[in-house]
Amino acid sequence: MKLFRPVGADRSDGELLRAVARGDAQALAALYDRHAGWLHARLTRRCPDPETVREVLQDTFVTAWRTADAHRGGEAGGWLWTIAARRLVDAQRAAARAARAQAAHARHQPDPARATAPSAEERALDALEYGDVGAALDRLSPELRAVLRATVVDGLTTREAAQLLGIPEGTVKTRAQRARRELRAALTERRSTPPHLLDALGGTA
């Protein structure tokens, strides 16, 4: 008796993604079967709402379907987690804004500025893109900036960042340490930088 093997089970992530880029829906299904389980588990650790997790997971693979040709080859885990992490942040921000607006309405205190005021987490994330921190980040070399975005902004592990960027894990660690040192030095020169952002970057280790 021949054991059943899922379609695409013997193909690498890179092969599946190349097929997805050509419009192969079976390849996407195989990629989903391979990665959806651990993505769901990891998203659940970051978000207690199962409906949000389900929507983010679905959106992750829709995005993978649309952008598969942008993958650089190799394992897809880090690339998929980057998509999922960003989609989760977007979903949580939207939910927080909706909750604040609803709370303001319930108190009969309609205040658009207050209802859309960003949380501390949102301000920290936005600071990595804009303002002093964003300007300092832009001063880093492209390779250092890519590692810092992968490990800090996207929350990838060293292994996942290495897979995403196509470099050894040791190189990820070395570049991350150097990027933190250079970014912290640049931010120290700017007195307007919030102390908690400097603390988040750590020391020279």
Side-chain angles (χ1 to χ4, degrees), residues 16-167:
L16 288 174
L17 281 168
R18 285 192 291 274
V20 170
R22 296 192 297 269
D24 187 337
Q26 285 191 327
L28 181 67
L31 201 67
Y32 182 93
D33 289 342
R34 184 175 297 175
H35 293 284
W38 71 265
L39 281 169
H40 185 277
R42 190 162 185 179
L43 287 167
T44 299
R45 288 198 294 270
R46 290 196 171 196
C47 176
D49 179 21
E51 181 64 20
T52 298
V53 169
R54 185 192 67 78
E55 291 178 357
V56 168
L57 187 64
Q58 178 178 341
D59 193 24
T60 296
F61 283 94
V62 170
T63 303
W65 170 260
R66 293 173 177 169
T67 63
D69 57 349
H71 185 252
R72 301 180 182 179
E75 297 300 316
W79 182 69
L80 288 170
W81 175 245
T82 297
I83 297 172
R86 288 173 177 168
R87 293 296 176 273
L88 181 60
V89 168
D90 290 343
Q92 290 175 326
R93 286 180 174 181
R97 285 193 294 268
R100 286 194 297 270
Q102 185 175 10
H105 179 73
R107 292 192 301 268
H108 303 288
Q109 295 178 350
D111 184 348
R114 184 175 182 180
T116 57
S119 65
E121 179 183 358
E122 289 180 87
R123 290 195 299 271
L125 287 169
D126 288 341
L128 290 170
E129 299 293 336
Y130 308 105
D132 287 347
V133 183
L137 192 63
D138 287 340
R139 289 169 56 185
L140 298 180
S141 63
E143 62 269 16
L144 296 185
R145 188 164 58 245
V147 166
L148 202 61
R149 288 186 184 279
T151 57
V152 176
V153 180
D154 298 326
L156 300 184
T157 64
T158 298
R159 181 179 180 182
E160 290 165 345
Q163 292 175 345
L164 175 66
L165 300 173
I167 58 177

Side-chain angles (χ1 to χ4, degrees), residues 164-204:
L164 175 66
L165 300 173
I167 58 177
E169 292 182 34
T171 303
V172 170
K173 293 178 181 178
T174 301
R175 290 182 182 177
Q177 291 170 356
R178 182 180 168 191
R180 282 182 167 84
R181 285 197 301 268
E182 292 188 11
L183 186 58
R184 185 177 176 86
L187 291 175
T188 301
E189 298 174 2
R190 298 171 179 265
R191 296 178 181 272
S192 61
T193 302
H196 72 278
L197 289 177
L198 290 174
D199 293 339
L201 291 171
T204 59

